[in-house]
Amino acid sequence: MTIPESIKQFITWIQGFDHTTGLIHTRYNLIEKIIRHHLDLQDILEEYDFEPSIMREGYHLVVVKPKVAIACNLPKNFSEGNCQIEFSSILFKYLKIHLNHQDILGQLMTGLHTQPCWGCRRFLKQLDENNFQVNLGQATIILSNLEVTELCLCIDEVCQEYKSLIIEFENALETWDFEFAKLSENRGFVLFSVIQELWELMQQFANEFDYTKGKSEWHLFHRENRSIRVSRGIRDHTFIFPKLDSDLSLSPQNQIHIIYELNHLNLQSIETEKFSLWQQDIGIRGTWTARYTRQWLLEKYIPKVINYYSEMSQLSEAELLAKITNYTSERAVIKEIDHIRNLVPYLHDIQSWLHIYVENIAASLLQPYYQAYTNLVRNTDSSITGIDYIIGNLRRVEWKNTQEENYSNFTDWKNLTFKYAIDCLDKQVTRIYNCEYENSLNADLITRIFIWILENGKISFSQAQLNAGKQALLPLWEQSRFEMRHVYPNRHLRKRM
């Protein structure tokens, strides 16, 4: 196809813009109109389109759509990934957007598999029917509806893999219940804290029972700098690292934080083997998880150390054990819950997440949740306290959905009953099944209602209703857990007032 000189000049003109700071909206609209009204120009621009493909080689993933291509280095064993985004449009011919690990988690990870116009994705702002402002890293650009749709499809593919690897790693090593610890070279998780005297005895025992010095069942240690390596020389089980209280200002005096360390030695197999093969080595005879390491230290190793050096310590066994500080709360696993109030801590987690979740949420995630918990609390004794709190939150939801400031047909709150509240919840269930997305404030308020009823009401429920509640809660809670742990620490929080 011969390109007319006027079109060549037009292409040169639009390629001259500085897109890293964003196109002016009116100028971009002018360009779009020119393109739409010149069929020859549309044909020429389509020649620039990428060839769609998805390629995965190890931890490198490339996803290509006609208008967008993303090349991503996926995270390995909690290391940080990154990606590069390119566009086929001649408007962005020289634009390559680089996103680091924090950008990917903080900007791209929420609202996966939702439509751009739903308002669920943090990096998008709809300008009009056909155009979106897109914020990627430090770059701000304007994209057409088609370009944004393909960008979201690429992001969904990349971020799903990115998220899955993080979740698989945390699941495999059972690290979810432990806070991250920053170490100089490696990564780790805080298991618990002990006083300095006990830590010195733990180190002394490990040095005395080095696996090169004997063959008893306790000769399974090796000292490496400050850490304790639990190993028989052939198989490394776990690495324990001390973190002084000076590193954590809120800790009590002379406390040593015991860190489950992700040492390069016990993770080097991930660099050379498939992740699934490495997972097969996790267990008592192989690589220990954080949960098992904590259990082994508290139930076996520390009691053994205290007993072995009982004559050396100035404190009794009871005093040493009493000074161990745990940072994890013991909860029943959701699937194993048989008492309705044991659901409350998980609902509090979800409510805290929703409270800072400024974007909209896909209704499909909330539909079974609204339905199951409305059914679960349906048969609550009408004498429940705080009916005004329940009705007040329901009215806030209704006011927001109807955009009305007041309801003249509402009677005195004191005359409203719990049955009225259930009727309102039923209306919310009906509404959510007719929505594509939900405002996070609505979900926040409704979750507060469920929490209040579970904490204060006398509820009659069936096993089927409880099971449905657990099943509906699990995916919502798992998403809240992932985002509170990995997404929100990497973004600027805008807390809802």
Side-chain angles (χ1 to χ4, degrees):
M1 178 185 295
T2 302
I3 304 177
E5 187 62 31
S6 60
I7 293 182
K8 287 183 179 179
Q9 293 175 358
F10 173 73
I11 293 174
T12 302
W13 175 61
I14 61 178
Q15 285 180 343
F17 291 126
D18 178 9
H19 303 295
T20 59
T21 57
L23 285 171
I24 299 174
H25 187 205
T26 54
R27 183 174 292 181
Y28 187 84
N29 279 336
L30 174 61
I31 294 171
E32 284 289 296
K33 290 178 181 178
I34 294 173
I35 293 173
R36 285 198 299 269
H37 286 84
H38 290 78
L39 298 179
D40 290 345
L41 183 56
Q42 290 185 44
D43 293 338
I44 294 169
L45 295 180
E46 287 177 359
E47 292 183 1
Y48 287 82
D49 285 355
F50 299 136
E51 186 68 29
S53 65
I54 298 178
M55 296 177 289
R56 171 78 181 269
E57 183 176 348
Y59 286 85
H60 186 67
L61 173 65
V62 179
V63 181
V64 183
K65 300 294 181 185
K67 303 296 182 184
V68 185
I70 301 181
C72 180
N73 294 312
L74 298 168
K76 294 185 289 188
N77 55 69
F78 284 118
S79 64
E80 297 185 351
N82 56 73
C83 73
Q84 176 178 286
I85 303 176
E86 298 183 61
F87 302 90
S88 64
S89 169
I90 58 171
L91 276 71
F92 309 109
K93 180 178 179 181
Y94 302 107
L95 177 63
K96 295 182 179 180
I97 299 176
H98 299 272
L99 301 183
N100 60 27
H101 181 71
Q102 289 72 31
D103 294 330
I104 293 171
L105 290 174
Q107 294 183 358
L108 307 186
M109 198 61 72
T110 52
L112 298 182
H113 309 293
T114 63
Q115 296 297 318
C117 61
W118 291 0
C120 300
R121 298 182 188 254
R122 178 176 175 81
F123 64 94
L124 292 181
K125 178 183 179 182
Q126 188 163 9
L127 299 175
D128 54 41
E129 185 178 353
N130 297 311
N131 298 300
F132 288 80
Q133 177 178 301
V134 181
N135 301 297
L136 298 169
Q138 301 302 312
T140 299
I141 58 177
I142 296 175
L143 298 180
S144 68
N145 206 341
L146 176 59
E147 290 170 325
V148 164
T149 298
E150 294 192 0
L151 172 63
C152 289
L153 290 174
C154 289
I155 287 173
D156 290 344
E157 191 75 34
V158 167
C159 285
Q160 192 59 57
E161 287 295 312
Y162 207 98
K163 178 180 179 179
S164 295
L165 282 175
I166 293 174
I167 291 174
E168 285 179 10
F169 202 84
E170 290 236 41
N171 286 344
L173 290 179
E174 297 184 311
T175 53
W176 285 108
D177 293 335
F178 308 103
E179 293 296 323
F180 289 113
K182 292 182 180 180
L183 306 177
S184 57
E185 296 181 358
N186 301 314
R187 292 162 301 283
F189 299 84
V190 182
L191 300 182
F192 53 88
S193 296
V194 300
I195 60 173
Q196 186 170 343
E197 178 186 348
L198 180 53
W199 169 249
E200 291 173 353
L201 293 177
M202 292 167 65
Q203 283 186 310
Q204 184 175 338
F205 187 92
N207 187 56
E208 185 174 343
F209 285 83
D210 190 288
Y211 62 76
T212 62
K213 298 179 179 180
K215 296 183 178 180
S216 77
E217 62 174 330
W218 282 104
H219 282 87
L220 43 70
F221 302 97
H222 185 66
R223 286 286 304 279
E224 289 197 349
N225 298 323
R226 295 167 62 193
S227 65
I228 297 176
R229 178 181 179 183
V230 184
S231 171
R232 292 189 182 275
I234 300 175
R235 172 66 62 194
D236 292 318
H237 292 307
T238 191
F239 289 79
I240 308 303
F241 189 86
K243 190 172 176 63
L244 301 178
D245 66 339
S246 58
D247 295 329
L248 296 175
S249 59
L250 297 179
S251 301
Q253 291 296 319
N254 78 329
Q255 285 280 304
I256 303 294
H257 303 281
I258 306 301
I259 309 299
Y260 173 82
E261 182 184 9
L262 298 180
N263 192 284
H264 67 281
L265 293 175
N266 63 352
L267 293 177
Q268 62 185 357
S269 58
I270 300 181
E271 305 291 332
T272 57
E273 298 181 17
K274 292 183 179 180
F275 186 82
S276 58
L277 296 178
W278 177 81
Q279 287 190 63
Q280 295 176 11
D281 186 55
I282 295 175
I284 296 176
R285 297 182 179 275
T287 301
W288 290 355
T289 67
R291 182 183 296 274
Y292 181 79
T293 298
R294 175 178 176 273
Q295 177 184 345
W296 181 82
L297 288 172
L298 291 176
E299 297 180 5
K300 295 183 179 180
Y301 183 55
I302 289 178
K304 176 67 176 180
V305 169
I306 293 174
N307 181 264
Y308 189 78
Y309 295 116
S310 58
E311 296 182 0
M312 295 177 53
S313 176
Q314 298 179 355
L315 298 176
S316 66
E317 178 179 354
E319 289 173 318
L320 286 171
L321 293 176
K323 293 182 179 294
I324 296 176
T325 305
N326 284 303
Y327 300 105
T328 59
S329 58
E330 298 297 334
R331 292 182 180 179
V333 179
I334 291 179
K335 294 180 180 179
E336 300 174 0
I337 288 176
D338 56 10
H339 194 290
I340 193 170
R341 281 195 171 85
N342 289 341
L343 295 168
V344 171
Y346 294 99
L347 287 170
H348 275 294
D349 289 346
I350 291 171
Q351 188 275 320
S352 298
W353 166 63
L354 292 169
H355 189 62
I356 60 175
Y357 197 107
V358 178
E359 291 74 36
N360 294 329
I361 301 175
S364 58
L365 185 64
L366 297 169
Q367 287 164 355
Y369 168 63
Y370 281 18
Q371 178 74 75
Y373 279 81
T374 298
N375 288 338
L376 187 60
V377 303
R378 186 176 301 281
N379 297 315
T380 299
D381 192 290
S382 60
S383 64
I384 183 174
T385 61
I387 190 66
D388 54 339
Y389 174 81
I390 296 171
I391 300 299
N393 280 322
L394 283 167
R395 285 185 169 177
R396 289 182 66 189
V397 174
E398 292 176 347
W399 288 337
K400 187 169 184 61
N401 290 333
T402 61
Q403 300 298 314
E404 294 183 22
E405 293 299 325
N406 54 71
Y407 276 52
S408 59
N409 58 334
F410 278 170
T411 59
D412 189 344
W413 287 25
K414 294 181 180 179
N415 296 325
L416 297 179
T417 64
F418 186 77
K419 182 182 183 304
Y420 174 83
I422 289 296
D423 290 342
C424 290
L425 285 172
D426 282 333
K427 291 178 182 178
Q428 296 306 317
V429 171
T430 300
R431 179 185 61 80
I432 196 69
Y433 274 98
N434 289 288
C435 293
E436 293 175 324
Y437 57 89
E438 171 74 301
N439 184 281
S440 57
L441 176 58
N442 289 342
D444 179 356
L445 295 171
I446 290 174
T447 300
R448 290 171 186 264
I449 294 169
F450 292 146
I451 291 172
W452 182 272
I453 298 172
L454 291 179
E455 287 184 331
N456 297 280
K458 297 178 181 178
I459 307 171
S460 298
F461 58 93
S462 68
Q463 185 65 51
Q465 288 173 326
L466 179 60
N467 290 342
K470 293 188 292 185
Q471 184 176 352
L473 185 69
L474 188 58
L476 190 64
W477 178 75
E478 287 180 341
Q479 179 163 330
S480 72
R481 177 181 65 172
F482 174 81
E483 294 192 6
M484 291 296 280
R485 187 168 174 84
H486 293 284
V487 174
Y488 286 98
N490 293 294
R491 64 191 286 187
H492 176 66
L493 297 182
R494 293 176 290 164
K495 190 170 183 179
R496 181 182 292 114
M497 299 303 292

